[in-house]
């Protein structure tokens, strides 16, 4: 594999409730620089907990019980994410790793213009920037995700779902992170809009070279857009492989079950008995 | 036709005609805003068309009174989100009893038996769920309860608006298969509204493709999906994930999204 960006080793998360829930169990996973990794599995399999956990975004009762997460920064420095202090972590987040949350398009502040919400990112993380610089960065970002700079003064409700999701991608892209974690970023959108956004993420990745962890239960989509796919079940990764290998030669029985639970667009009939 | 403030009127549906027969499923596909749900709203009388009519067994939709109630018993909806469509304060029993009592469809001493029968129809174990509340059930179980509720009034027509899109992938086929079974056994006509072409193809006899309120293509499910004639249908198909086609084409394995 090419140069690694993120090395997750023996990572475990437990929800400290009664009885305790072992949501992520000893996950070891390596992500290469510039790679799109798909993380697939059903609700409750631990995929979101894993993605939150490696960024230390989890809150009690979730506890990271074991393991390490090493971020191999572009500067050559290796950062042990678990060892960062609270302030270091705050600066690290969004700067190095950003996230597009599930249902993110509905997480914009409804009473603030999107331009000013994007400017907030720079105000917090790049305090040295002048207001003029911030505005110009925001305009560039909105152009980049093809929402258009003229939309900076729009309120979220004036934009379609697809456009709002692009604004969230612009926000995640703002500080040019090396890794973007996307949790079901297109699930709420219809297929045409989904395809357009996927295309855009892919172009931006080529342009900026960031890696992506793409979380979804839509396996057919992952098969098309990712380099590698990790299949998760009950907190464990049961199989990791190149997308094509997962499709043509799945090793784990659960991977096969998951693959067979999708009706094929052009494949054989008969999955719905009629 | 919707009246839109400021910009006058918006045609949500334009000259749409189709016939749904009992025992058959029509898949209604198209992207958000294409008018799919407006058709459902017209069918359940939440919207009134500005022109045109809807006939059930040859008769127009009654406007009021007993006739309208009876129409509503014949046509039932299954909604997308089984978390929102069931009342969190009430038991499963209550949800299914209600249409029975309101419609006077079962005598008091028969209600319990009828509720249990309906739960069995949707392959739930009555004793395990009947006195539970929605939050104690999984998404798939909840959707089955919603289907049982829809069946309570012995409808002839079911409008299912994205009935499986909120469910986990591994149970979607189970719910679609259940709907297919019920349809066969009860001779239901089903209108399956979705933007997922793959399930539409497998679940429907016929597919109608809607774009900006107009029917752009209509035909047997396999014909429409495998050999689409309309450019918009082709566009929809090209945008839908299709690993088969993806890995068959040489460009597919150059690493990630192209």
């Amino acid at each position: 594999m090419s140069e690694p960006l993120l090395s997750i080793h023996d990572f475990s998360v437990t929800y400290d409730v009664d009885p305790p829930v072992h949501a992520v169990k000893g996950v070891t996973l390596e992500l290469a620089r510039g790679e799109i990794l798909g993380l697939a599995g059903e609700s409750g399999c631990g995929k979101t907990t894993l993605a939150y956990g490696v960024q230390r975004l989890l809150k009690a009762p979730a506890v990271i019980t074991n393991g390490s997460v090493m971020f191999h920064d572009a500067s050559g420095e290796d950062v042990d994410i678990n060892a960062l202090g609270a302030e270091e972590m705050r600066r690290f987040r969004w700067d190095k790793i950003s996230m597009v949350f599930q249902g993110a398009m509905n997480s914009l502040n409804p009473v603030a213009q999107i331009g000013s919400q994007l400017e907030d990112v720079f105000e917090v993380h790049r305090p040295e920037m002048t207001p003029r610089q911030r505005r110009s960065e925001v305009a560039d970002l909105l152009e980049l995700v093809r929402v258009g700079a003229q939309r900076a003064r729009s309120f979220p409700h004036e934009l379609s779902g697809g456009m709002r999701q692009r604004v969230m991608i612009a926000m995640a892209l703002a500080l040019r992170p090396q890794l973007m974690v996307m949790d079901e970023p297109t699930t709420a959108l219809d297929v045409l809009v989904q395809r357009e956004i996927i295309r855009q993420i892919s172009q931006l990745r080529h342009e900026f070279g960031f890696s992506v962890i793409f979380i979804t239960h839509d396996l057919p989509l992952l098969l098309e857009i990712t380099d590698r796919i990790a299949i998760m079940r009950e907190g464990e990764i049961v199989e990791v492989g190149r997308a094509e290998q997962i499709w043509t030669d799945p090793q784990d029985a659960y991977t096969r079950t998951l693959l067979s639970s999708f009706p094929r667009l052009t494949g054989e009939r008969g999955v719905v008995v009629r | 036709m919707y009246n839109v403030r400021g910009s006058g009127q918006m045609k949500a549906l334009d000259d749409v005609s189709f016939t749904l027969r009992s025992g058959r499923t029509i898949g209604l596909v198209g992207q958000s805003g294409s008018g799919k749900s407006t058709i459902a709203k017209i069918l359940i009388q939440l919207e009134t068309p500005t022109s045109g009519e809807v006939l059930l067994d040859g008769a127009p939709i009654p406007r009021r009174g007993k006739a309208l109630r009876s129409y509503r018993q014949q046509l039932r909806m299954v909604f997308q989100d089984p978390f929102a469509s069931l009342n969190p304060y009430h038991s499963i029993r209550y949800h299914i009893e209600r249409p029975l009592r309101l419609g006077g469809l079962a005598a008091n001493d028969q209600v319990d038996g009828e509720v249990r029968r309906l739960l069995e129809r949707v392959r739930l174990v009555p004793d395990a769920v009947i006195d539970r509340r929605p939050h104690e059930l999984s998404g798939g179980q909840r959707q089955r309860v919603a289907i049982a509720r829809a069946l309570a009034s012995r409808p002839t027509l079911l409008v299912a608006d994205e009935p499986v899109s909120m469910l986990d992938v591994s149970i979607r086929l189970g719910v679609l298969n259940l709907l297919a079974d019920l349809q066969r056994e009860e001779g239901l006509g089903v209108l399956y509204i979705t933007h997922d072409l793959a399930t539409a193809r497998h679940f429907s006899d016929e597919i109608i493709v809607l774009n900006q309120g107009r029917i752009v293509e209509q035909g047997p499910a396999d014909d429409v999906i495998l050999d689409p004639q309309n450019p918009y249908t082709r566009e929809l198909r090209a945008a839908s994930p299709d690993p088969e086609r993806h890995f068959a084409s040489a460009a597919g394995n150059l690493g990630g999204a192209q």
Side-chain angles (χ1 to χ4, degrees), chain A residues 32-51:
Chain A
R33 190 170 290 283
E35 178 182 39
I36 299 190
L37 175 80
L39 199 52
E42 296 177 63
S43 319
C45 74
K47 54 192 195 298
T48 299
T49 304
L50 173 64

Side-chain angles (χ1 to χ4, degrees), chain B residues 12-13 28 31-40 210-214:
Chain B
L13 289 176
L28 194 56
Q31 65 186 124
S32 316
S34 61
K36 306 189 292 290
S37 296
T38 304
I39 290 182
L210 215 56
N211 182 25
Q212 295 178 4
R214 283 174 172 274

Side-chain angles (χ1 to χ4, degrees), chain A:
Chain A
M1 202 201 303
S2 57
E3 191 193 341
L5 175 69
L6 193 72
S7 308
I8 303 168
H9 184 71
D10 204 13
F11 192 77
S12 298
V13 178
T14 298
Y15 285 94
D16 198 6
V17 288
D18 190 28
V21 177
H22 303 286
V24 177
K25 301 175 205 162
V27 166
T28 297
L29 195 62
E30 192 138 289
L31 178 72
R33 190 170 290 283
E35 178 182 39
I36 299 190
L37 175 80
L39 199 52
E42 296 177 63
S43 319
C45 74
K47 54 192 195 298
T48 299
T49 304
L50 173 64
Y52 276 48
V54 300
Q55 305 173 69
R56 287 178 42 201
L57 282 172
L58 295 170
K59 289 198 176 104
V63 184
I64 298 172
T65 51
N66 193 36
S68 68
V69 182
M70 199 63 89
F71 184 86
H72 311 285
D73 193 58
S75 67
E77 186 194 355
D78 283 352
V79 182
D80 179 353
I81 295 184
N82 280 338
L84 292 177
E87 176 56 24
E88 288 171 309
M89 192 65 224
R90 194 188 63 76
R91 265 179 292 167
F92 183 86
R93 263 186 223 132
W94 222 256
D95 215 332
K96 310 282 189 191
I97 304 181
S98 66
M99 178 137 192
V100 178
F101 294 92
Q102 204 166 354
M105 57 191 202
N106 299 323
S107 62
L108 287 163
N109 182 344
V111 294
Q113 295 169 355
I114 57 163
S116 92
Q117 299 189 53
L118 284 165
E119 281 182 44
D120 284 350
V121 176
F122 295 107
E123 222 172 310
V124 171
H125 286 271
R126 300 281 187 271
E128 71 282 2
M129 281 172 74
T130 63
R132 177 190 287 263
Q133 282 173 322
R134 286 202 296 263
R135 269 197 300 278
S136 121
E137 277 291 326
V138 166
D140 288 350
L141 278 172
L142 289 173
E143 287 296 329
L144 203 57
V145 296
R146 289 198 219 124
V147 168
Q150 77 283 0
R151 289 292 199 161
R153 298 177 69 87
S154 295
F155 288 92
H157 74 269
E158 297 176 300
L159 305 178
S160 67
M163 281 171 108
R164 273 178 297 180
Q165 195 60 298
R166 283 167 217 255
V167 171
M168 295 312 295
I169 291 170
M171 197 177 276
L173 206 62
L175 306 175
R176 303 287 184 265
Q178 293 165 57
L179 169 61
M180 272 168 85
V181 179
M182 304 187 148
D183 192 1
E184 303 272 9
T186 58
T187 309
L189 306 170
D190 72 54
V191 283
L192 293 178
V193 180
Q194 163 172 293
R195 186 56 72 170
E196 178 57 30
I197 287 185
I198 296 284
R199 208 170 279 146
Q200 212 160 59
I201 293 170
S202 162
Q203 277 167 10
L204 292 167
R205 175 186 69 141
H206 281 293
E207 197 175 336
F208 298 108
F210 54 81
S211 307
V212 176
I213 296 180
F214 198 107
I215 306 170
T216 180
H217 60 234
D218 189 348
L219 200 48
L221 180 69
L222 281 187
L223 285 163
E224 287 193 16
I225 65 166
T226 56
D227 300 304
R228 285 190 310 147
I229 296 177
I231 308 281
M232 252 185 117
R233 185 193 195 188
E234 290 172 11
E236 290 176 80
I237 290 188
V238 297
E239 181 164 5
V240 191
R242 294 195 58 80
E244 192 177 11
Q245 179 252 308
I246 296 279
W247 171 249
T248 54
D249 187 23
Q251 299 298 306
D252 190 86
Y254 180 68
T255 309
R256 287 194 285 273
T257 309
L258 216 50
L259 283 167
S260 69
S261 61
F262 289 96
R264 304 277 161 76
L265 184 64
T266 53
E268 269 174 50
R269 281 191 83 96
V271 288
V272 178
V273 183
R274 310 197 52 248

